[in-house]
Amino acid sequence: MKPFAQQTYYELLEVPVTAQMEEIHAAYSRLMELYAPDSIAVYALVDADQVDALRARMTEAMEILTDADLRVEYDKDLGLPARKVAEAVTAPAKDSGPVQRAAEALASAVESSASSSASEAGKGTEEPEPELSGPAAFRASFVSGYSLSYVTSSLQSAPFGGGFVGMPAAGRVDVGSSPARGESAPANVAEARTAESVVAQSSAAGSASVETSADSSSATSSAVVPASAAAEASNSEAPDTASATSAQSVPGVEAPTSASAVTAQAASSTEAPDSASVVTAQAASSTEAPDSASSVAAQAASSTEAPDTASATSAQPVPSVEAAISASAVAAQAASSTEGASTSTAESAGASAEAQGTEVPASPIASTPAAAEEPPVDEASVASNAQDASSQPVAPVSAEPPAPEPATSIVVTPTTGRSTGTSRSMPSTASGTGASAQTRGGSGRQLGEAQVLSQDSAIATAEAALAQVSARVRDVRPRLPDIPADAEFNGELLRRVRETRGFTLHQVADRTRISLRHLENVEADRYTLLPPPVYLRGILMNLARELGLDPLQVSRSYLGLASEKSGKK
Amino acid sequence: MRPPMSKPSRAPLADARALGTPTSEPVQSGPPGLGRRARPRRIIAVGGGKGGIGKSMVSANLGVALAQSGLNVLLVDADLGGANLHTCLGVGQPEATLSDFLRRNKARLEDVIVPTGVPRLSLIAGAQDALDAANLKYAQKQKLLKTLLGAQADYLILDLGAGTSFNTIDFFIMADHGLLVVLPEPTSVENAYRFAKAAFFRRLQQMEAEYGIGDLVDSALTTREGSLRTLHDVLEQVRRKDPVGAERLERELAAFRIRLVVNQARTDADLNVGTAVASAWKKFFGIDMDDLGAIRYDDEAWRAVRKRRPVLIERPDSPAALAIQRIASRLLAIDGTPIPATP
């Protein structure tokens, strides 16, 4: 009797742990039919988004269980005897866990000790179940294929999900440098346990990375530390690697708690300097923004990302942030993706002003298994927050958090104006490339999509923002007549302002719902015919607002005149 | 026949009773003369939330099927506002009804039992004319519940009305088998889910005193339907307070098993709706539901109703009749009762 969010993949798909590939596929398609949105069996049973969440999780389960590698990993996580499922899985790299990518990048950069690190990596990956030798060997043999790495996030989430949550974190990447990549990814994780690997990584990454990792590790206090550290390390690494290899950097930031959120922020800031590109400033500024704890995490993530994007030429930044506990973490992820998106879009949009808000194809997937229950809205809002914040530095005006729509994921329209899309919280949203990044927990970001990111994009973003701002400025409503600060707003002045605006009395009356008679009397300063001050004040405020004046100033001034005159009388 | 058979089958029933729903408590400590054997061995309640889905038809024919397999069956028309079970059985306007029993204190339950013309199958017809027949008062309901639990029969079948009023739900959850009739259409499925949720929460409510979860249940019940807190949540909260209690609560909830009957299945896909519903229910609420099987849409059944005869007697070889027989034998199998060769 446990909620589906806590069920193992086998339980989810209602197959025995020994199920063959075909069985799993059959079960999956049967269940997809059963839980289709128009299926009668789920009608009025639960909320639609709960069904969506279930479907997403089932897809996730199917993807994991039908991938030989991932399944082995998962089984080990579950404590099932390791068994080799059919080996070569030709599955394209779909959801690439952030860590993994980072790992990849790392690997390519380092290129060193492939085999040795590989073995270690194998161990590391399996944290929960110390089944070391088996996996390692397996993995080693498996080098040619795809590397699956359990992202640190999985580790983190594991405790919540009851230990079997592994999936979210797992992602596989097909990297050019096959031998190195697989290993490196796990290595990250492993590093938590084995200090050595960490060292290796850090050294590879360069001093910057070292800093970051140190930072993060110190900040995060929980048991998750290793994981988060790893993630961060990878983060820091990403820029470097990216620039070097044009690989894809995907920083994963893990924020176990609110404290961790701070960490993330710190990390990001740390990072910024590393990626010394133009964008750095932006990133930094965005980091500043966060106020609330949750939003902090999100923003941190986004800011983290920015640098990556900027620095990495043609690299796609896909940061995933995991907040083990708070859903906000998820949001953070979303946010980060959002941001990446914005960058890329900006580029494509060129100078067009509105580009900023647009969302990138990368789908944020968010919810960790534990957090799965969290309403998407939450995430979305956070995400939007983040977006808001991140965009602020660039162009305050344009930043507008789109209303969160439950299901949509990411729509990228380079040229479109403001992004309506908000990152969709739904775990199931497919990323732009069509690879479904179903993973909730964290993971999966789609790498391959925005090939085009380049340093230019950062500049483009800035330019776009500027253009937007200037457009706004240019576009401002007709200039007012010069009104001295201490001007008395009598009827005459109000009339002049109105005429300058090009409004007729009728238009104003229509829009403000103030009766024509009152308006005329106001402009004619016929104080005695005006309604009592209480009402007059409202009328004046409305009118002033309509005319683009300061309501308080206008009403105070006019009322003063009115009482004066009528008093005299 | 009765004593030997009732021995082995006693145990599960005792378990069910021991769950301690308040409704069953009084009976357990009932009149001294009333031994355990006086009670019906099994109570089947047929509900479904929506009207017009064949609850009465299923009840009547199930009664016939069980009677035909040699068991003494008492049908009770508990559809207080819309009694028509007698018509399904072709009994005509009964002389004595449930309202006689409820209203006039003179009557014992035995006095309102009427024969149906089917051997071993008897009927307590529903209240007929009383204006407020549907508005059973609490005391009346308690009396009825108690008395029904004391009725002598192998099977007591309660034909419930539509809706999820407590008057309906309380009869449903006191049963050993809660048969949920559902049509393969959204309206019916929707009501069936609501009915099932209501049943579980009502049961929770009845247990709340025992577990000190009253406020939890209340909040769960007052939540809007959309965000209706699931039993998982309730259990989770109870567990936080009282792990042992939660354990028991979970067991008891699991012991209350809803069994689905899909009626009027027109396509092959419809036949699987029961399975789908049961599996979706389990997926989201973690509670098992049994699928007893589907009854095909059958014109014979409709014709039988027109003739005011149970289809099982009118056309025993029709698809609907066969399906009902299958359901009956599944119920018997669940109860571990071998079908007696002879009455």
Side-chain angles (χ1 to χ4, degrees), chain A residues 330-558:
Chain A
V330 180
Q333 195 176 357
S336 61
S337 66
T338 313
E339 189 168 16
S342 66
T343 326
S344 63
T345 10
E347 165 187 76
S348 55
S352 74
E354 313 266 328
Q356 212 162 10
T358 24
E359 233 43 46
V360 171
S363 68
I365 321 239
S367 46
T368 57
E373 308 288 345
E374 298 285 357
V377 182
D378 193 358
E379 298 174 10
S381 64
V382 182
S384 61
N385 256 346
Q387 188 182 355
D388 202 335
S390 63
S391 54
Q392 266 179 8
V394 186
V397 189
S398 67
E400 90 179 45
E405 286 186 19
T408 61
S409 72
I410 314 76
V411 181
V412 182
T413 24
T415 49
T416 58
R418 37 274 328 280
S419 64
T420 57
T422 95
S423 51
R424 184 33 39 247
S425 51
M426 291 282 45
S428 62
T429 59
S431 62
T433 60
S436 61
Q438 301 280 18
T439 55
R440 47 189 37 188
S443 72
R445 181 27 76 5
Q446 204 63 21
L447 285 188
E449 46 234 39
Q451 318 286 24
V452 251
L453 276 203
S454 65
Q455 269 175 331
D456 299 349
S457 67
I459 300 171
T461 314
E463 280 176 356
L466 277 181
Q468 195 173 4
V469 173
S470 61
R472 282 275 169 119
V473 172
R474 234 179 295 122
D475 192 22
V476 180
R477 294 200 274 187
R479 38 299 94 201
L480 295 175
D482 281 343
I483 301 174
D486 57 345
E488 286 199 329
F489 284 95
N490 56 14
E492 171 64 15
L493 180 52
L494 290 175
R495 186 183 57 77
R496 280 201 350 253
V497 173
R498 173 177 62 75
E499 284 167 355
T500 319
R501 297 274 193 225
F503 296 151
T504 68
L505 267 185
H506 279 284
Q507 283 172 331
V508 175
D510 279 350
R511 299 185 45 154
T512 58
R513 321 298 292 164
I514 301 171
S515 82
L516 200 56
R517 188 169 53 87
H518 285 326
L519 286 176
E520 282 168 351
N521 288 338
V522 166
E523 292 195 349
D525 287 331
R526 288 193 282 265
Y527 302 124
T528 49
L529 297 180
L530 288 170
V534 209
Y535 303 105
L536 181 56
R537 186 165 181 278
I539 290 175
L540 291 168
M541 303 260 290
N542 266 339
L543 177 61
R545 223 172 275 127
E546 182 63 23
L547 296 179
L549 301 171
D550 175 12
L552 277 181
Q553 195 190 349
V554 170
S555 65
R556 202 178 303 127
S557 166
Y558 194 96

Side-chain angles (χ1 to χ4, degrees), chain A residues 44-50, chain B residues 194 197 223-230:
Chain A
L45 176 59
V46 288
D47 289 348
D49 43 2
Q50 266 181 285
Chain B
R194 192 164 301 139
K197 287 176 191 171
T223 321
R224 216 165 36 79
E225 177 76 19
S227 55
L228 183 65
R229 297 251 301 284
T230 65

